[in-house]
C-alpha cells in the first residue's frame, strides 16, 4: 500500500512538472515571440505607408478635391464658404488682399480653415499666398514687404535674395501659411520688377538663394512660371501670350534657373507652377495645358517628380477657348497635379464636377489621378505633419474600415 501511494505521488509530481513547465514555456513564448514592429512615423516607410493608406480610403471625389486649389471670399470662414469647400473637398486655399485685413484676422482665418479641414477630410490644407515682394505683396501695410526681385538683383548680392525670402517665409509662416507661390524664375525685364534680371545666370543665382531662404524658413516654395514667361510681350492675366523663339533658346537659357532648382532640391520641398504662355517651338497649347511641355520636358527630360500646379485657370490667356468644364480635364491630361482656380466658387464647382465625370467616363485614367494624389499627400504628410500627427491620422483612417 505504501509503495502504491509513493508511486501515485511520483506520478502526480511528474504531471505537475510537465504541465507547469509547458505553461511557463507558453507564457515565455508569448512574451518573447517576435511582434510586428511599431510604425516609425518619422521615417520614409511610415510616411509612404500613411500616404498609400489614405489613398486607399478615399473616394474619387475626395481624390479630385485634393487636386483643387481655390480662392475664397470674405475675411472669415462663413457657412457658405464651408459648404463650397466641402462640395469640392478642396485640398488647398489661396488668400488675396480681399481676405486680409490685419495680422490677427489672417491668423484666425488660416487657423479656422485648417481646423475645418481637420474635421472633414483629416488631411491638412495647403494654405498659400503670392508673396513675391515688390508689386506682388499681399497686405503690404501689415506684412513683411520685401523689395522687388529687380531691386534685389540690382544690389549685385545674391545673399540679399536669401535674406528677404527668409524674412518673407518667417512672416507668412507666423500668419499660418505653409506655401508661397514664389519665387519668379522668369528671365526678362517686362514684368514690373518681378524678375531677377535678363541673364539666365543672374536669375539662377538670385533665384536659388530665394528658394533657399524660403526653404530654410519652413515654407514650401513654388518656382514659376515654367518654362519661363519673361519674353512674353502681353500679360497672360488678360490676353493670349506667345513666346516665339527657337526651342534651343528655351532649353539653354529660360530653363536654366528651373533646371538648377530641380537638380538641387528634393522634389517634395517645392512645386512647379506652369505658366499660360504658348511656345510654338514646342506646342500650340499653353504650357499649363501641354503634355509636350509638362510630361515630356518637365517630367521626362528634367526629371521633376514633385507637384505641378497651374497658374490661375481663370486668366485670359487660357480661359479664352476653354469652358470651365473643359479646362480642368485638358490640364490633368497634360500632366498637371493641382488646378488653381482663384475667384469664382461656381466655376470651381463646374471644373470639379467635370473632372470627376471625365474619370468615370475613362477620359482621365484612375492611375493618373492616383499618381497626382500620391504626390500631393506625400508632400503634405512629409512637410505639414509630425510623427504624432501621422500616428493619429493613421489610426483615424484605419478605424473607418
Amino acid at each position: 500500500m505504501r509503495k502504491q501511494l509513493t508511486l501515485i505521488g511520483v506520478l502526480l509530481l511528474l504531471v505537475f512538472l510537465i504541465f507547469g513547465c509547458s505553461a511557463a514555456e507558453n507564457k515565455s513564448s508569448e512574451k518573447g515571440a517576435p511582434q510586428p514592429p511599431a510604425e516609425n512615423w518619422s521615417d520614409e516607410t511610415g510616411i509612404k505607408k500613411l500616404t498609400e493608406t489614405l489613398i486607399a480610403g478615399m473616394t474619387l471625389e475626395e481624390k479630385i478635391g485634393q487636386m483643387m486649389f481655390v480662392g475664397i471670399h470674405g475675411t472669415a470662414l462663413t457657412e457658405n464658404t464651408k459648404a463650397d469647400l466641402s462640395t469640392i473637398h478642396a485640398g488647398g486655399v489661396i488668400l488675396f488682399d480681399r481676405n486680409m485685413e490685419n495680422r490677427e484676422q489672417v491668423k484666425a482665418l488660416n487657423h479656422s480653415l485648417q481646423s475645418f479641414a481637420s474635421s472633414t477630410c483629416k488631411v491638412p490644407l495647403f494654405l498659400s499666398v503670392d508673396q513675391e515682394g515688390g508689386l506682388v505683396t499681399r497686405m503690404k501695410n501689415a506684412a513683411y514687404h520685401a523689395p522687388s526681385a529687380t531691386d534685389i538683383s540690382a544690389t549685385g548680392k545674391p545673399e540679399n535674395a536669401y535674406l528677404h525670402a527668409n524674412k518673407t517665409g518667417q512672416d507668412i509662416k507666423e500668419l499660418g501659411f505653409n506655401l508661397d507661390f514664389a519665387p519668379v524664375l522668369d528671365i526678362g525685364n517686362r514684368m514690373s520688377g518681378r524678375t531677377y534680371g535678363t541673364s539666365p545666370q543672374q536669375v539662377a543665382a538670385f533665384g536659388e538663394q530665394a528658394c533657399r531662404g524660403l526653404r530654410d524658413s519652413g515654407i514650401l516654395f513654388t518656382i514659376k512660371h515654367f518654362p519661363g514667361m519673361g519674353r512674353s510681350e502681353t500679360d497672360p492675366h488678360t490676353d493670349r501670350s506667345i513666346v516665339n523663339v527657337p526651342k534651343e533658346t528655351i532649353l539653354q537659357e529660360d530653363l536654366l534657373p528651373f533646371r538648377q532648382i530641380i537638380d538641387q532640391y528634393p522634389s517634395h520641398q517645392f512645386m512647379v507652377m506652369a505658366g499660360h504662355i504658348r511656345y510654338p517651338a514646342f506646342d500650340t497649347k499653353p504650357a499649363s495645358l501641354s503634355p509636350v511641355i509638362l510630361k515630356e520636358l518637365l517630367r521626362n527630360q528634367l526629371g521633376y517628380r514633385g507637384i505641378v500646379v497651374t497658374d490661375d485657370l481663370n486668366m485670359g490667356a487660357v480661359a479664352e477657348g476653354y469652358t470651365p468644364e473643359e479646362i480642368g480635364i485638358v490640364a490633368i491630361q497634360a500632366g498637371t497635379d493641382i488646378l488653381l482656380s482663384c475667384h469664382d466658387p461656381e466655376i470651381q464647382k463646374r471644373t470639379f464636377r467635370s473632372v470627376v465625370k471625365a474619370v468615370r467616363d475613362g477620359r482621365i485614367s484612375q492611375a493618373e489621378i492616383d499618381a497626382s494624389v500620391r504626390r500631393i499627400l506625400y508632400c503634405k504628410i512629409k512637410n505639414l505633419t509630425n510623427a504624432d500627427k501621422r500616428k493619429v491620422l493613421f489610426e483615424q483612417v484605419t478605424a473607418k474600415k
Side-chain angles (χ1 to χ4, degrees):
M1 182 69 179
R2 186 175 296 173
K3 288 182 179 179
Q4 289 178 339
L5 289 173
T6 302
L7 183 60
I8 291 171
V10 171
L11 290 173
L12 288 173
L13 179 61
L14 288 172
V15 169
F16 173 78
L17 289 172
I18 291 169
F19 283 96
C21 290
S22 176
E25 285 174 7
N26 287 339
K27 286 184 179 180
S28 175
S29 172
E30 288 172 10
K31 288 180 181 179
Q35 299 295 319
E39 294 294 343
N40 183 353
W41 297 111
S42 297
D43 67 12
E44 284 297 301
T45 302
I47 292 170
K48 289 177 179 178
K49 178 173 182 177
L50 179 54
T51 299
E52 295 303 323
T53 303
L54 286 167
I55 292 173
M58 282 182 163
T59 65
L60 174 60
E61 288 79 5
E62 288 170 335
K63 290 177 181 179
I64 304 303
Q66 285 298 310
M67 301 172 69
M68 297 292 297
F69 211 122
V70 300
I72 62 174
H73 290 272
T75 56
L77 184 58
T78 65
E79 292 304 314
N80 285 340
T81 301
K82 287 181 182 179
D84 291 337
L85 295 175
S86 294
T87 298
I88 62 174
H89 306 276
V93 173
I94 179 171
L95 298 189
F96 293 90
D97 275 332
R98 66 177 184 245
N99 308 116
M100 307 170 77
E101 292 177 336
N102 57 66
R103 296 186 69 84
E104 292 308 312
Q105 170 266 323
V106 174
K107 288 180 185 179
L109 176 55
N110 278 332
H111 178 74
S112 63
L113 284 164
Q114 207 62 274
S115 296
F116 179 66
S118 179
S119 67
T120 52
C121 68
K122 309 299 182 189
V123 182
L125 286 171
F126 285 132
L127 291 176
S128 177
V129 64
D130 286 309
Q131 205 74 338
E132 298 175 14
L135 182 67
V136 184
T137 302
R138 308 307 180 202
M139 205 167 62
K140 290 183 177 71
N141 295 329
Y144 179 69
H145 189 176
S148 71
T150 299
D151 287 343
I152 292 172
S153 66
T155 68
K157 298 179 179 180
E159 59 266 30
N160 286 336
Y162 177 95
L163 174 69
H164 291 297
N166 190 256
K167 286 184 177 180
T168 296
Q170 292 180 48
D171 188 61
I172 63 175
K173 185 175 182 179
E174 183 182 324
L175 293 172
F177 296 102
N178 50 43
L179 169 66
D180 192 0
F181 281 141
V184 171
L185 297 188
D186 302 322
I187 299 167
N189 57 8
R190 299 171 176 168
M191 295 176 60
S192 303
R194 297 174 68 193
T195 66
Y196 286 110
T198 57
S199 151
Q201 292 75 20
Q202 183 179 19
V203 173
F206 281 84
E208 193 278 330
Q209 286 295 307
C211 293
R212 190 176 299 275
L214 286 169
R215 191 276 310 273
D216 288 353
S217 73
I219 288 288
L220 294 164
F221 61 91
T222 308
I223 54 176
K224 62 185 187 183
H225 306 79
F226 188 84
M229 73 175 194
R231 300 177 191 273
S232 174
E233 297 183 6
T234 57
D235 184 351
H237 289 81
T238 56
D239 299 307
R240 176 178 292 207
S241 301
I242 298 175
V243 171
N244 203 0
V245 297
K247 182 183 293 188
E248 290 72 22
T249 302
I250 300 294
L251 294 175
Q252 294 173 15
E253 297 182 13
D254 298 63
L255 285 185
L256 178 64
F258 293 96
R259 184 184 293 112
Q260 176 174 273
I261 302 304
I262 290 169
D263 288 346
Q264 291 185 12
Y265 288 79
S267 59
H268 65 264
Q269 293 182 350
F270 67 101
M271 298 184 186
V272 173
M273 178 178 282
H276 295 323
I277 314 301
R278 287 171 167 82
Y279 304 83
F282 288 94
D283 198 352
T284 57
K285 294 179 180 178
S288 55
L289 308 180
S290 167
V292 175
I293 290 175
L294 298 185
K295 289 184 178 179
E296 294 182 22
L297 180 58
L298 179 58
R299 296 285 190 206
N300 295 340
Q301 292 186 40
L302 298 188
Y304 178 60
R305 297 291 176 261
I307 297 169
V308 177
V309 56
T310 68
D311 209 342
D312 181 17
L313 292 174
N314 301 131
M315 288 184 183
V318 287
E320 178 188 350
Y322 293 96
T323 66
E325 285 78 10
E326 295 168 333
I327 199 164
I329 297 171
V330 176
I332 292 172
Q333 289 172 333
T336 289
D337 298 308
I338 292 180
L339 307 173
L340 180 62
S341 183
C342 293
H343 302 293
D344 189 335
E346 292 308 311
I347 287 179
Q348 294 161 5
K349 292 173 193 173
R350 288 167 62 186
T351 300
F352 170 79
R353 288 193 294 263
S354 70
V355 172
V356 171
K357 186 174 186 300
V359 178
R360 292 199 168 123
D361 292 346
R363 285 174 288 164
I364 299 174
S365 74
Q366 184 69 61
E368 283 184 290
I369 297 299
D370 285 350
S372 290
V373 175
R374 183 172 290 110
R375 283 188 280 267
I376 293 165
L377 293 180
Y378 177 85
C379 182
K380 286 184 173 184
I381 294 166
K382 179 85 172 178
N383 296 288
L384 308 184
T385 66
N386 57 30
D388 291 338
K389 289 182 180 179
R390 292 166 196 159
K391 180 176 184 293
V392 171
L393 185 53
F394 182 78
E395 290 170 351
Q396 289 175 333
V397 174
T398 53
K400 293 179 181 178
K401 297 182 179 180

